[in-house]
Structures are given as structure tokens and as C-alpha cells.
Amino acid sequence: MGSSVRRPGRRVDLGGARRRLPDAVGAVLDQYERHLALERGLSDHTVRAYLGDVTSLLLTVFGPEPGPDRRLDEVDLAALRGWLAAQRSEGASRTTLARRSAAARTFTAWAHRRGHLDTDPGVRLVAPRPHRTLPAVLRPDQAEALMTAAKSGAAELEPVALRDQALVELLYATGIRVSELCGLDIDDLDMGRRVLRVLGKGNKERTVPFGAPAATAVDAWLEHGRPHLAVEGSGSALLLGARGRRLDPRTARRVVHDAVAAVPQAADMGPHGLRHSAATHLLEGGADLRSVQELLGHATLATTQLYTHVTVERLKAIHDRTHPRSR
């Protein structure tokens, strides 16, 4: 369905860094890439991120010109800690350090299971907890203004404007990721039931509902917009770029940034901001946390719980502004 599914046999380009590793270590890294791509079904972007962090670790351990007889068992706890210390001294943030630590632990755990390491040094690696910043979200009235502007822009039935309206309506109505949206095919929509079939992280499929305004925008795009942009190579992609190919997530991000910029007093945000806004407004409207977790495709409830902090902050702001005993 979506472009996030990785084709077997394709190798992530690490800019020549892989070739600087000892042959035996490079062979292990190739196995790990296949594990991430084929066994875990991760997207190109995620595989590249994991491999980039692990390659950085390995190059730190083995140096710029390692001998051919070096082996992976040199990756021990001291090496992991030294790598993180070097990252910290170069100014890496707590969030970056936490992410790289997680990537290293995932790799060493896999290497131990496969017999490449006698023990798993990542088990004892302690990384700083990342700062959890509250995501910027639109107020409901700002979200309404955004959708009204998109509808007004599409009033002349110009194909790209119709696509952009369908794009922002679906992102806000469903809270799906921009990669998930761009990966949708026409037959992933059930317009009668008003639901999407979405392929999320780890190739996990879920069903996500959307409302009448989004359905109206999608109908207009399919009837008056898509036929004018479709070309022989369009396939069954739901959203198309100006040249008729499947819409690129980078284009979708630019569309959302530009649309939100026109909303008075709205924070600068892209598709992920609309996802945050959708989740926040669902919770403020009374949706339970488990349902929002399912809609967003979060693997754990802890990720979804971030939005409860957003709603609490908003409640505190309202209290401070309106309650006579707030100050």
C-alpha cells in the first residue's frame, strides 16, 4: 500500500562509512540491516536512523583505519559509554543521546541473540532521560479557521487546491502520520463507512475513522481534482503531486506549514502538529486514552499519555485566566 514498505535487497546508503569498518563487522551490519528491513518491516527512514547511530558507534570503537582482524566483541560497556561521552562533549542534546543509546541497546541485544556478542553490554548502559517538551497544538477555533481557509481556496475547483484541502482535512480528522497519508491508495478509503485502512509503523494495519467534512473534501478531490493531475504512472495513489506521481511527504509538509502560517496567532507547525492537535482535541472532547492510542497507532500507551499533559496545561491556563482565586 504505502511507500514506507521497504523493498528486499536494497541497501541503505551511509555515505561510505560502512566501507571503513572491518570486513567481519561490516558483514554483521549487513545482517542487522536485513533484520530491521525484512524481519521487523521498518521504513527506509527508520532503518537509516538505526544504522547511522550504530555505524557511528562502530567507527568510534574501531577508529578511522581499523585492521582487518578486528571483531565485534570489542564493543563492550566501556566502549558504549565512551561513545556517548564523545557525543555529549560534541554538544548532543539529551534527546539525541537517549535516542542513540536506544539504538545501541537494540543493536547489542540483537547481536547477542545472534551469537555475535557473548554478552549484551547494552543492558547496563544508562542514558540521560530526554526532556519531554509539550507539542504545539492549534486551538479548536484555529483548526476551524485552517479548514475554512482550505475550503475557500478550493472553491474554484483548482486541482492542487482541492488536493490541499483533502490533505489538511484528512490529517486533522484522523491524526495519521504524513507518511501514512501519502502512502494511502484509493481503495484504502471506505467512503460509505467513512474509515481509512492505514499501514503504520512496523507494517501494522489499523482502521481510522474520519468525519463528514473530510469526506466531502476527499469526494471533491477525487471528482474534480485528481483526474486532472493523474498520469500513466499515478497508479492507485490517493494524493498526487503536481506532476501526477504519488504525493511526496516533503510536499505535504510544505503545504501544511504554508496553510497554518495564514492562521492568526497559530504556532508554526507541519503535519505532526495537526496530529498533535487532533489527539489533544479528541481527549478534550472526552475520548478515552486507549481509543486515541488505537487511532494514532502508538505502540505504547505512554506515548499517547503525552497529550494528557497538553490538556492539563491548557486547563491550567484557563484556570489562571478565569478563576478569581488563581493568583
Side-chain angles (χ1 to χ4, degrees):
M1 181 184 81
S3 58
S4 62
V5 180
R6 204 163 180 279
R7 296 194 296 273
R10 197 168 69 182
R11 212 166 179 234
V12 167
D13 180 13
L14 297 175
R18 192 194 304 250
R19 292 192 296 273
R20 290 153 51 198
L21 294 171
D23 290 344
V25 177
V28 172
L29 194 63
D30 289 344
Q31 293 178 38
Y32 185 54
E33 179 178 359
R34 289 193 291 272
H35 163 73
L36 295 174
L38 304 180
E39 295 178 28
R40 293 186 57 184
L42 302 180
S43 69
D44 280 355
H45 176 78
T46 303
V47 171
R48 186 176 295 108
Y50 272 103
L51 290 180
D53 288 336
V54 172
T55 302
S56 169
L57 164 65
L58 296 175
L59 289 175
T60 299
V61 173
F62 296 110
E65 297 181 5
D69 58 343
R70 305 285 292 275
R71 292 292 181 266
L72 190 66
D73 55 16
E74 295 179 47
V75 179
D76 55 16
L77 182 59
L80 293 175
R81 287 173 173 168
W83 173 62
L84 283 183
Q87 304 283 322
R88 187 181 299 112
S89 67
E90 292 172 4
S93 68
R94 290 166 64 95
T95 300
T96 298
L97 291 173
R99 190 204 76 220
R100 290 176 179 169
S101 300
R105 286 194 297 268
T106 301
F107 173 70
T108 59
W110 170 85
H112 177 54
R113 289 197 305 272
R114 294 295 177 90
H116 299 300
L117 291 173
D118 292 335
T119 60
D120 179 7
V123 170
R124 297 168 57 199
L125 182 65
V126 178
R129 289 182 176 273
H131 291 299
R132 302 207 73 177
T133 57
L134 295 176
V137 296
L138 296 173
R139 300 192 309 265
D141 62 298
Q142 291 174 329
E144 182 66 28
L146 174 63
M147 302 306 147
T148 299
K151 181 178 180 180
S152 176
E156 299 298 321
L157 302 184
E158 195 275 324
V160 171
L162 287 168
R163 180 206 65 196
D164 292 350
Q165 184 195 8
L167 186 156
V168 296
E169 282 280 6
L170 281 175
L171 283 174
Y172 176 62
T174 62
I176 62 176
R177 302 173 179 92
V178 66
S179 59
E180 295 170 343
L181 177 71
C182 292
L184 289 175
D185 290 335
I186 294 174
D187 61 4
D188 292 322
L189 279 79
D190 184 336
M191 298 299 287
R193 297 170 57 217
R194 292 210 306 257
V195 294
L196 299 174
R197 184 174 67 243
V198 178
L199 190 67
K201 290 186 175 182
N203 289 342
K204 293 180 180 178
E205 189 177 287
R206 68 187 190 278
T207 300
V208 183
F210 56 92
T216 299
V218 171
D219 272 335
W221 155 246
L222 290 176
E223 182 176 355
H224 302 291
R226 191 182 187 281
H228 294 282
L229 294 182
V231 297
E232 185 176 346
S234 297
S236 57
L238 173 62
L239 298 180
L240 303 177
R243 296 183 180 179
R245 303 290 180 176
R246 183 181 295 275
L247 184 66
D248 188 280
R250 290 171 296 184
T251 302
R253 291 188 185 96
R254 189 186 70 245
V255 168
V256 175
H257 276 289
D258 291 346
V260 174
V263 177
Q265 300 181 343
D268 178 42
M269 68 178 62
H272 211 62
L274 290 188
R275 179 171 162 85
H276 288 315
S277 300
T280 302
H281 298 165
L282 282 166
L283 289 170
E284 289 180 341
D288 65 273
L289 207 56
R290 286 286 183 188
S291 297
V292 175
Q293 177 192 3
E294 177 66 24
L295 290 171
L296 297 181
H298 285 157
T300 66
L301 195 61
T303 306
T304 316
Q305 284 175 327
L306 174 63
Y307 300 107
T308 64
H309 300 306
V310 178
T311 57
V312 168
E313 289 299 310
R314 182 165 292 177
L315 286 172
K316 287 171 62 179
I318 293 171
H319 183 275
D320 290 345
R321 188 173 66 248
T322 60
H323 196 283
R325 301 290 290 179
S326 63
R327 298 181 186 279

